[in-house]
Amino acid sequence: MPIVYSLVARGTTVLANHSDMSGNFPQVATMLLANDRIPTEGLVTFSLDPYAYHVLVDQGITFMCMTTETGEFRMPNAYLNDISHRFLEDYAFQAQVAIAYSLNTEFAMEMRDRMHFFNNDPNADQLAGARVKLDTVKNVMTENIDTLFERGEKIELLVEKTYEINNQAQIFRRQTQTLKCVIVKKYIKQWVLAFFLIFVVVYFIMAIACGLALNKC
């Protein structure tokens, strides 16, 4: 399943391409660049028997290759991952402002060499597997980091809530202590008033019986 055509594009603007055989592949590929199924990031394949157009979008740059058979994805996807890493490493900034085919001189030969490698070198299959494993590990690590950040945010929120609850608890304890003091003072006043009233009543009774000076009993 040889790779016979490849391109790099920003949106619908082709920045570089290479073909190992003649045909209308560039025209078809350019039409596919405007297809709504092209993702903002990730992989997609268009099957146009007997050909397949494999697409990878990475950091807003589209990488496409065409194979002469459909149904096989590992090798073309590995090729797309390979050239995307090579291209973005050297041309990530230029790709954002370059005009159509302006990077053809620099990168078309790179695509030709990598197409030849993936089409003929027996080590390409091992490289494909290694690249897939590397991307899988990278994705897992990214997910783990995102999870850690999310947990960190939750822990920070929990600490803030705990701090807020502690402050509320301290305020409640102070309010409770103040209320307790008010109640105790109220009870003391009530008891003092009660004793005073009892004393007054007893004195009044005794005064009636024994005189105001209590000297007649």
Side-chain angles (χ1 to χ4, degrees), residues 151-161:
R151 289 178 178 175
E153 292 175 357
K154 291 181 178 179
I155 291 173
E156 183 178 353
L157 180 61
L158 180 61
V159 170
E160 291 178 357
K161 290 294 184 182

Side-chain angles (χ1 to χ4, degrees), residues 59-72:
Q59 298 183 31
I61 303 300
T62 302
F63 303 88
M64 182 186 297
C65 69
M66 192 208 75
T67 59
T68 55
E69 297 178 17
T70 60
E72 174 61 38

Side-chain angles (χ1 to χ4, degrees), residues 13 18 37-38 41 44 46 81 86 92 129-130 157 163 176 195:
T13 302
H18 176 76
R37 287 181 55 202
I38 297 289
E41 288 285 329
V44 68
F46 298 92
N81 276 301
R86 293 171 182 271
L157 180 61
Y163 180 75
T176 303
F195 282 124

